[in-house]
Amino acid sequence: MAAVPAKTRVFVKQLVQLSLVNGRVSSEQVAGVLEYLEKHPPARPQVVLGYYRDLIAAELAKGEARIEHAGPVAPSAVAAIAAAMTRRYGRPVEAVTLPNPALFAGLRVRVADDVFESSVSGQLAALAASC
Amino acid sequence: MSTVLAQIESQIAKLSSTAVRKNTGFITAVADGVAKVNGLSDVMYNEMVAFPGGVIGIALNLGEDEVGCVVLGDVSQLKQGDEVQTTGKLLSVPVGKGLLGRVVDALGNAVDGKGAIDSTTFYPVEKIAPGIMARKSVNQPLFTGIMAIDSMIPIGRGQRELIIGDRGTGKTTIAIDTIINQANINRVGLASGDPAFRPVYSIYVAIGQKNSNIVRTIAALEAAGALEFTCIVAAPAADNPANQYLAPYSGAAIGEWFMENGMDALIVYDDLSKHAVAYRQISLILKRPSGREAYPGDVFYLHSRLLERAARLDGKGSLTALPIIETLAGDVSAYIPTNVISITDGQIFLETDLFNQGIRPAVSVGLSVSRVGSAAQIKATKQVGGKLKGELAQFRELAAFAQFGSDLDAKTKAQLDRGSRIVELFKQPAFNPISIELQAVTIFALQKGYYDGIDIKTVTKTSASIREFFKTRQDALLTEIRTKAALDKDLEAKIVTALNAWKSSAA
C-alpha cells in the first residue's frame, strides 16, 4: 500500500465514495465503478484496483461484526451483538459467526480494527502477559 | 491452604466476563527495525503497541492508511500479517533510587545481571519540559572537579553545558570525572551529617558506543566508588536505532524523578551526535522528508525537547545536563553542533591541538563559555580565580604574537611566563577530580607566587605536592574552606602559613 502514489490515493478514495450508498458499500455502485475503470483504464490499473479492493474491504469490515465462538451461540445473542455494534458505531452492522475452537469458551467480536475480547484464550493470554 | 485458595480465587476473579476492547492492525512490512502496520485506527502518537511474542513498539508515524512503528526488540520473529494491538499506554521506564548502581537498557530493563530493578514507580519516557513559572534561576554550583572548568567555566545545578570536541579529545573523561566528583562530594557530605547537604545523583546515557567503551566507563566508575550514586542507561552501537533514539529520553525520565522529589541529579548524554544519526536512520526508514545533511526537519526539536527537561525547579530539585557532541575536524559550525550549542547554556570546547600538546583536559578557554557565569561559583573560587580566564586569554594572544618577534619587553615576558604556569597548573590526569577546597588552595598558591621561580615543567608536580600536603596534614583547614566557601583575612593567613610549612617541608 505504501507504493501507491498520492494522486492515485485521492482518485481511488473518490471511487470509494462513489461506491457507497447511505454509508454502506453498494454492489451496484461497485459494479458501476469497475465498469467505468474497464472503459477508461487508468495508468497502472493494477495499483488502482488493488488499492480500491483494500479500501472497499476496509469499508465492508466496518459494517460487519465477525463473531468467533468456541461453542454454540444463540441466534438471539448474535442479534443482540449486531444491535449493540450498530448502536456503538452509529452505522448498520451485520453479524457473521465463525467457529473457532482455539478460543476454548466465550466470544471474540471483530469490527474493522476493533476487537472485543471475552474469550477464555484471550483472557489467559492477557493474564500470562501481566505475570 | 486458605491462602492458596484465595490466590486462585483472585486469579479467577481476574478472568472477568466483560469484553475487553482492543484496537488492532496487521503488519504489512517490516524492515530495519520499523514495522508498517495497516489498521490501528485509534492509535495515539508515541503510544506503545504490542507485537506478537511480547515485542513492543512505538507508533511514530500516523499515516492516512498505515502506521509506522519502531520495534523495540527482536524484529526477526515478526512477519507480514502478524496482528498488532494498541496498549493505550505511553512508553514508561522504572525510576527511583533502585536504579542507582545499575545498568539498564533504553526500556529500563536491567542488563547488568544483578537481577530485577527494585522500583515500583514508572515515569513516561516523553514528557513536556517544566514551564517558566516552575523554574528557578541557576545559582548553585555543580563542581566538576576539573580546575579549568570550575574556575573559568562554572556549571550550576540545573544548567545545560555542552561538551564538544573532536574524537579522542577527552569529552567522556570530563563527564566521568564530573560523575566521580559528585560521588566524592556525596560521600563527604553524607558523612558530615549536614541536613542541608544535597547529594547529586548521576545518570550516564551511552548512545551508540562500543560495548567495550561502556564496560570501561562502568569499570572506571566502579573503581572510583561512583557507581553506587550512578545509573547507566546503555544503548550500544549493536542496539537497534530505536533504542538509541529512546535512551536519552529514558535517562531524562530517570533524572526527572530525582528532580521532582527534591533531589539533585546530573545527566550525561554521550553522545547526541550519534543520537541524531540514529534518529536520522529511523526517519529515513519512515520516509519522512529529509533536510540538511539528510536529517529530518524536526532534528532541532529532537534535542531541544530533551535538553529543556534539565532545569532547577522552584521548591524541588534540579537536573543538570551535560550533553556531548562529537565534531569532525573541529567544525563547530556543522548542523548538529550549532543546534545543540544554541540550545545549551554554554559549551566546553576541547581542542585536538591542545590535547596533542599534552594539555589535558584540552579545554579551549577562548571558545568555551558558561552562560550562567559566576552565579554558579562559590565566593572562594571567585576570589582566587576571578581573573584567570582573562589572564589566560591575554596569554594566548601574546603567545601568538610572540611567535613572530624575538625581542620582548620584560612585562610581556612576565605575562607569558605567568600564562605558561597557569596552563601547567590546569593540567590534570583523567579520573582524578580535585575537590573545590583543594582547587581554591592550588589557585591561591598561584596568586601568592608559590609557583614563581620554579621550572615551568614542574608546576603540575608542585601543585600536586601542595594538594597532597593539604590533604594529609591540613584536613581541618580544608574543612573550614569548604564550610565557609569564602576566604576571609583569617583564612587566607592560615592558608599562607600552611603553604609556608609546605615550602619548608618540600625544600
Side-chain angles (χ1 to χ4, degrees):
Chain A
M1 204 182 276
V4 181
K7 276 186 180 175
T8 310
R9 283 169 190 257
V10 174
F11 173 63
V12 174
K13 279 179 182 164
Q14 286 170 345
L15 296 180
V16 172
Q17 287 304 314
L18 287 172
S19 309
L20 304 179
V21 175
N22 297 328
R24 298 186 73 182
V25 177
S26 152
S27 54
E28 292 83 19
Q29 293 291 103
V30 171
V33 166
L34 292 175
E35 195 182 327
Y36 171 82
L37 289 175
E38 205 172 356
K39 282 182 187 166
H40 306 91
R44 300 173 71 194
Q46 277 183 327
V47 175
V48 172
L49 284 169
Y51 190 46
Y52 179 66
R53 180 200 56 211
D54 292 341
L55 293 187
I56 289 294
E59 282 298 324
L60 287 170
K62 283 181 189 173
E64 190 178 83
R66 292 160 68 89
I67 304 168
E68 292 176 51
H69 57 94
V73 195
S76 59
V78 174
I81 290 169
M85 293 301 163
T86 302
R87 268 200 311 278
R88 181 183 180 93
Y89 291 103
R91 59 174 183 252
V93 178
E94 285 172 10
V96 179
T97 55
L98 294 166
N100 183 359
L103 299 182
F104 302 126
L107 299 172
R108 180 186 289 158
V109 182
R110 180 186 293 275
V111 182
D113 293 346
D114 290 339
V115 176
F116 299 86
E117 183 74 75
S118 69
S119 72
V120 170
S121 72
Q123 289 181 34
L124 286 172
L127 201 63
S130 67
C131 289
Chain B
M1 185 65 81
S2 59
T3 321
V4 177
L5 288 174
Q7 277 179 339
I8 297 169
E9 288 289 342
S10 70
Q11 290 288 63
I12 291 168
K14 283 181 190 170
L15 295 172
S16 61
S17 57
T18 51
V20 180
R21 179 177 168 268
K22 296 178 293 188
N23 192 248
T24 60
F26 294 94
I27 295 177
T28 54
V30 186
D32 306 308
V34 170
K36 301 275 174 68
V37 181
N38 194 358
L40 297 180
S41 52
D42 283 356
V43 74
M44 297 180 287
Y45 182 66
N46 264 340
E47 184 181 342
M48 274 167 72
V49 292
F51 290 96
V55 178
I56 59 162
I58 305 176
L60 275 189
N61 252 27
L62 307 187
E64 205 176 351
D65 299 314
E66 65 182 11
V67 177
C69 303
V70 289
V71 183
L72 306 168
D74 187 11
V75 287
S76 62
Q77 52 184 298
L78 302 181
K79 58 184 186 304
Q80 200 178 32
D82 279 349
E83 192 182 80
V84 188
Q85 292 176 6
T86 56
T87 61
K89 290 183 221 162
L90 296 174
L91 189 66
S92 302
V93 288
V95 293
K97 284 193 173 175
L99 280 119
L100 296 175
R102 303 302 304 269
V103 185
V104 295
D105 64 10
L107 305 177
N109 302 312
V111 290
D112 52 5
K114 293 180 184 170
I117 299 292
D118 180 23
S119 172
T120 50
T121 314
F122 286 78
Y123 266 30
V125 165
E126 288 276 2
K127 203 173 176 190
I128 302 290
I132 300 162
M133 298 311 289
R135 289 177 190 246
K136 207 174 169 187
S137 63
V138 175
N139 57 13
Q140 290 180 330
L142 183 126
F143 303 118
T144 62
I146 298 161
M147 277 201 295
I149 296 172
D150 288 340
S151 59
M152 294 185 291
I153 318 148
I155 300 171
R157 294 187 186 197
Q159 192 181 340
R160 294 128 341 141
E161 182 80 5
L162 170 66
I163 303 171
I164 185 168
D166 279 7
R167 62 180 291 274
T169 50
K171 300 182 296 297
T172 303
T173 306
I174 286 182
I176 300 299
D177 272 350
T178 309
I179 293 175
I180 292 173
N181 198 45
Q182 303 320 305
N184 293 345
I185 294 170
N186 289 353
R187 262 193 299 276
V188 173
L190 294 171
S192 72
D194 179 5
F197 176 72
R198 295 172 67 88
V200 177
Y201 300 100
S202 306
I203 300 118
Y204 178 79
V205 186
I207 312 150
Q209 290 187 37
K210 286 182 273 188
N211 274 321
S212 58
N213 282 355
I214 300 174
V215 168
R216 208 175 303 149
T217 302
I218 296 167
L221 292 174
E222 206 156 21
L227 198 59
E228 60 180 299
F229 298 104
T230 311
C231 168
I232 293 170
V233 182
D239 222 337
N240 64 48
N243 282 350
Q244 290 180 39
Y245 155 67
L246 280 174
Y249 299 100
S250 303
I254 294 166
E256 273 168 348
W257 181 86
F258 290 104
M259 177 171 71
E260 287 179 4
N261 286 281
M263 288 171 268
D264 293 326
L266 162 75
I267 186 161
V268 176
Y269 302 111
D270 192 1
D271 65 73
L272 291 188
S273 308
K274 291 191 185 79
H275 181 235
V277 168
Y279 186 60
R280 175 171 64 182
Q281 191 174 336
I282 292 169
S283 300
L284 290 174
I285 295 165
L286 286 169
K287 294 195 178 0
R288 288 181 178 176
S290 58
R292 183 176 162 188
E293 291 176 30
Y295 287 105
D298 65 341
V299 77
F300 186 91
Y301 180 56
L302 172 83
H303 290 148
S304 65
R305 73 175 194 265
L306 173 71
L307 293 168
E308 274 294 292
R309 287 164 74 171
R312 185 174 169 221
L313 297 183
D314 196 9
K316 291 180 179 174
S318 70
L319 179 63
T320 311
L322 292 182
I324 294 176
I325 286 283
E326 189 177 295
T327 52
L328 284 171
D331 182 15
V332 287
S333 64
Y335 190 24
I336 303 301
T338 46
N339 275 359
V340 183
I341 286 171
S342 70
I343 295 163
T344 48
D345 308 312
Q347 71 275 347
I348 296 163
F349 185 70
L350 304 176
E351 269 187 83
T352 312
D353 286 350
L354 293 177
F355 190 86
N356 293 338
Q357 284 166 28
I359 300 167
R360 296 171 197 178
V363 177
S364 165
V365 177
L367 290 174
S368 302
V369 69
S370 170
R371 284 175 206 157
V372 172
S374 59
Q377 264 181 329
I378 59 166
K379 201 178 172 191
T381 314
K382 280 187 226 174
Q383 284 171 304
V384 297
K387 292 174 186 165
L388 278 178
K389 198 171 181 189
E391 281 183 70
L392 212 50
Q394 216 170 19
F395 161 69
R396 295 247 189 263
E397 205 174 312
L398 280 174
F401 277 111
Q403 286 179 344
F404 301 108
S406 54
D407 293 333
L408 300 169
D409 60 274
K411 194 186 166 195
T412 311
K413 276 183 182 167
Q415 277 182 320
L416 284 171
D417 182 70
R418 186 171 168 77
S420 305
R421 281 169 208 281
I422 298 171
V423 170
E424 287 298 313
L425 191 71
F426 282 152
K427 284 184 183 174
Q428 207 175 314
F431 309 138
N432 192 13
I434 301 168
S435 66
I436 197 69
E437 56 272 19
L438 280 172
Q439 286 185 31
V441 169
T442 310
I443 302 169
F444 183 82
L446 173 86
Q447 308 295 20
K448 296 293 173 188
Y450 282 87
Y451 306 113
D452 296 346
I454 61 166
D455 184 11
I456 287 178
K457 285 177 184 167
T458 62
V459 168
T460 312
K461 206 174 152 192
T462 307
S463 69
S465 160
I466 291 175
R467 287 194 293 274
E468 194 56 37
F469 177 83
F470 273 78
K471 239 195 285 186
T472 51
R473 300 197 204 169
Q474 301 290 333
D475 196 41
L477 184 54
L478 289 177
T479 310
E480 196 177 341
I481 299 169
R482 188 171 60 241
T483 47
K484 279 187 177 172
L487 303 182
D488 53 24
K489 294 269 179 219
D490 176 46
L491 204 50
E492 281 188 13
K494 282 183 188 172
I495 298 170
V496 168
T497 311
L499 282 169
N500 288 335
W502 161 79
K503 204 172 183 180
S504 53
S505 73

